[in-house]
Amino acid sequence: MRIKEHPILDFKETKKLHFMYNGKQVYGFEGDTIASALHALGIKTLRHSIELKRPRGFYCAIGNCASCNMIVDGTPNVRTCITPLKEGMQVETQKDKGVYNETR
Amino acid sequence: MKHVDLLIIGGGPSGLAAAKMAAESGVSSLIIERDTKVGGQLVKQTHMFFGSEKQYAKTRGINIAEILINDCKEHDDKISYMTETTVVGLYPDYVVTVMDRNHKYSKIKANTILVATGASEKVLAFENNDLPGIYGAGAVQTLMNVHGVLPGQDVVMVGSGNIGLIVSYQLMQAGVNVKRVIEAASVIGGYKVHASKLKRLGVEITTNMTVKSAQGNGALESIVVQKLDDDWQFIPGTEEEISVDALCISVGLSPLSNLLSMVGCEMKYVSALGGNVPVIDHSHETTVPNIFVAGDVCGVEEASSAIVEGYYVGLIIGNRLGKTHPHYERLIQDFTQQLDNLRSGPFGEKTRSGLAQLRGEQHA
Amino acid sequence: MLKTTGVPDKALILTRFPDDVILGKPKAITECYEPIPCNPCETSCPFEAITVGEDINTPPKVDFDKCTGCGICVYNCPGLAIIVAQLKNDKAYFKIPYEFIPMPEVGETVHAINRAGEIIGEAKIEKVTLRKKQDKTALIDVSTNTELIHEFVTIRRMR
Ligand SMILES: Cc1cc2nc3c(=O)[nH]c(=O)nc-3n(C[C@H](O)[C@H](O)[C@H](O)COP(=O)(O)OP(=O)(O)OC[C@H]3O[C@@H](n4cnc5c(N)ncnc54)[C@H](O)[C@@H]3O)c2cc1C
Ligand code: SF4
Ligand code: SF4
Ligand code: FES
């Protein structure tokens, strides 16, 4: 749910950004992080824990706890709470430690 | 390798304040910030601040961030930034390793380093505490006040310190129903003016109570809370189930001091300061020469003191690098006095005793 | 009570009120009982009616001879801990800070709320002021029954 009116803050509507979430096209807005865009869509589970595969959402939202790690454009372990959303991003739920495809 | 005079790790209020004073002294600095923009915790704080005029009291946190950022802009020739960049390593040869937004690593060398990384929210142990829908209170504040997204409809806040109370009020302002604030201790932790403000809105604050477990299928649906006695033991038969779709945890902050441990600074565990903090002298220098600290990383306090500490350390670093601020003596005295004043009341007692413990001094 | 529930005791509240004669003129009631490092009430009052003093942890004290009841401190207090109260024409008048939307409208009947957050009666909105310099904290003038003079603290809209 997005806040439309607020007594203190002005949330101006920004540009719509389309992105892929687990193969489905969804959208967020400019200024969103990946995590905030997903949350606004009601998607709270961002990854699964490594050992027990328990669903995890974000916890700190300042890039500190790794609870929000997802696979973004093929790169695993991206802290989606501090990564700005961009048009055309491919975002996937991360279910393991993360496999890096290429040496970079 | 890039080489700078002063490297500031963390662009929160303390880092920005230090950059400003260093610049006024004639020292150039590079601020490295892992978030998308500088401002630290202030960018989500929509409430008016306490303190006195010198620390921008009665100005909203978001606007204080703007003031500090604009102050730094006036020194554009001296202050540069790298955002979306995380410092992942700090080494004794004054080299840091950073990871940029493209997950690329590089090294930067500096003559002096200021670690101003702030603090992170503590977690609380209870059954299913990892369910999506359970957040740090500061995280909810970011989601709601920076991104304009609501964490849920019905919320319980765990912890009645200032952050718990303030974020509860802000949740109500955003139209979220705060069902209750619970506090394990027998008294409310934060300022009573914040508590009274919430109470007027009809939000119940219950002391001697904590969360025992969380339930939900894939995401949080309800919690069980239970009363505690004064020795923090559960009182049997007092369990109560509350349906919520978000739970905020606000049980304190701990300094983000791991980079300091890494570089070999002597550390001390001081619970009054939030946890593991570097041993420092009065100039805020750690036991590793030319590595300084300011703000929450050397003791969790308030933004007002973080700003003043930043100014203070900025002056000291300028002086160390042979560039003494034209009003050095007067300003040092002023900032020292401001800090003493901020810490002089009963709420400052924790900081005073913590600092005394850290410095190995007797505390009256 | 204040320490465990956030609600001050009646006796504590009364320490901040002048007598009813003085309340014939509007006066600031500072419900800030605890020593906290804060002093915008002192620095914002154009009539120097509030004193915190050298040590900013000292709770504020109002000089009712100097206080004009202008309400400037009400929206400058970061704790939203100040209201202005007055007894006039068999009614109790208040100026309160308000930071919620939608804003109430002049003439609207609202719930009168006490310090425990309970509905204690009805109140009428007399005036809503939200100038730029108030930085989003509205100042609301409201009237209610005289018996509520020591009970009333805020309003809640009836929806
Ligand atoms: C929810 C909440 C409410 C608060 N309310 C109040 C209040 O009402 N009044 C008040 O006075 N204070 C309040 N505070 C406290 C105040 O915000 C902090 O004391 C203050 O922000 C500390 O400033 P700082 O510069 O030390 O740290 P921060 O503001 O935390 O800034 C640290 C910065 O460093 C960055 N960083 C950390 N690690 C790295 C790294 N490895 N690499 C790069 N960058 C890094 C972070 O992203 C952050 O931007 C509140 C805090 C919180 C969390
Ligand atoms: S109401 Fe006006 S005169 Fe009275 S204390 Fe407040 S600011 Fe001063
Ligand atoms: S400004 Fe408000 S919170 Fe601050 S000291 Fe004055 S009355 Fe108390
Ligand atoms: S939620 Fe903690 S790193 Fe993103």
Side-chain angles (χ1 to χ4, degrees), chain A residues 11-73:
Chain A
F11 292 108
K12 294 194 187 69
E13 197 160 319
T14 54
K15 210 174 112 197
K16 229 184 210 182
L17 298 175
H18 299 269
F19 68 107
M20 301 296 281
Y21 165 69
N22 288 341
K24 227 173 50 218
Q25 190 175 57
V26 290
Y27 67 87
F29 291 92
E30 212 168 61
D32 264 330
T33 57
I34 298 170
S36 72
L38 289 174
H39 206 288
L41 296 167
I43 298 161
K44 293 188 176 180
T45 299
L46 306 179
R47 59 176 276 231
H48 292 271
S49 68
I50 295 165
E51 295 291 333
L52 297 171
K53 309 289 173 208
R54 290 164 67 89
R56 290 279 164 81
F58 70 84
Y59 185 79
C60 73
I62 55 166
N64 202 52
C65 73
S67 184
C68 65
N69 282 4
M70 297 181 83
I71 305 169
V72 178
D73 293 334

Side-chain angles (χ1 to χ4, degrees), chain B residues 46-53 55 57-60 63 169 172-174 186-197 199-207 302 338 340-348, chain C residues 1-8 31-40 43-44 54-57 74-81 97-101 113-118 134-137 153-154 156:
Chain B
T46 50
H47 56 283
M48 295 184 264
F49 272 54
F50 292 76
S52 72
E53 268 169 351
Q55 301 100 31
K58 81 181 191 197
T59 306
R60 297 185 190 278
N63 300 330
Y169 180 77
M172 297 288 287
Q173 283 183 307
S186 55
V187 291
I188 294 168
Y191 295 170
K192 302 311 170 285
V193 286
H194 287 313
S196 301
K197 199 163 77 178
K199 195 65 204 190
R200 293 201 287 265
L201 296 174
V203 177
E204 191 165 338
I205 306 174
T206 314
T207 50
E302 301 257 285
Q338 286 187 43
D340 285 348
N341 210 345
L342 286 170
R343 292 167 180 162
S344 69
F347 275 92
Chain C
M1 280 281 274
L2 181 62
K3 276 188 176 166
T4 54
T5 62
V7 186
E31 295 206 55
C32 179
Y33 304 104
E34 191 182 38
I36 51 174
C38 185
N39 72 359
T43 52
S44 68
E54 192 70 6
D55 178 359
I56 60 168
N57 287 279
V74 173
Y75 56 80
N76 275 307
C77 163
L80 304 190
Y98 197 75
E99 293 187 330
F100 286 83
I101 48 163
I113 303 292
N114 69 6
R115 292 169 179 80
E118 297 154 351
Q134 286 171 245
D135 192 17
K136 318 254 167 153
T137 306
V153 71
T154 193
R156 194 174 299 154

Side-chain angles (χ1 to χ4, degrees), chain B residues 201-340:
Chain B
L201 296 174
V203 177
E204 191 165 338
I205 306 174
T206 314
T207 50
N208 286 107
M209 182 175 268
T210 192
V211 53
K212 195 180 185 196
S213 64
Q215 290 78 35
N217 189 3
L220 183 68
E221 289 164 17
S222 71
I223 56 166
V224 171
V225 296
Q226 191 170 1
K227 290 291 278 181
L228 296 173
D229 62 23
D230 286 342
D231 298 320
W232 297 51
Q233 299 298 314
F234 283 112
I235 302 175
T238 58
E239 293 94 339
E240 195 182 326
E241 183 162 354
I242 307 178
S243 61
V244 288
D245 53 3
L247 181 70
C248 292
I249 309 292
S250 174
V251 293
L253 301 173
S254 49
L256 275 173
S257 57
N258 46 338
L259 289 171
L260 296 161
S261 314
M262 184 186 237
V263 72
C265 296
E266 190 187 333
M267 306 294 288
K268 207 165 173 176
Y269 186 89
V270 182
S271 77
L273 297 178
N276 229 8
V277 287
V279 172
I280 51 173
D281 60 13
H282 284 276
S283 61
H284 274 240
E285 189 168 13
T286 65
T287 54
V288 177
N290 296 322
I291 295 190
F292 294 82
V293 287
D296 279 356
V297 70
C298 53
V300 171
E301 272 185 273
E302 301 257 285
S304 38
S305 41
I307 295 168
V308 183
E309 273 186 12
Y311 286 148
Y312 177 87
V313 179
L315 287 174
I316 303 250
I317 292 174
N319 191 48
R320 173 65 56 87
L321 292 171
K323 297 189 172 154
T324 307
H325 194 285
H327 308 295
Y328 183 81
E329 295 294 339
R330 179 173 61 77
L331 289 173
I332 286 280
Q333 207 184 349
D334 180 17
F335 297 141
T336 309
Q337 214 162 43
Q338 286 187 43
L339 284 174
D340 285 348

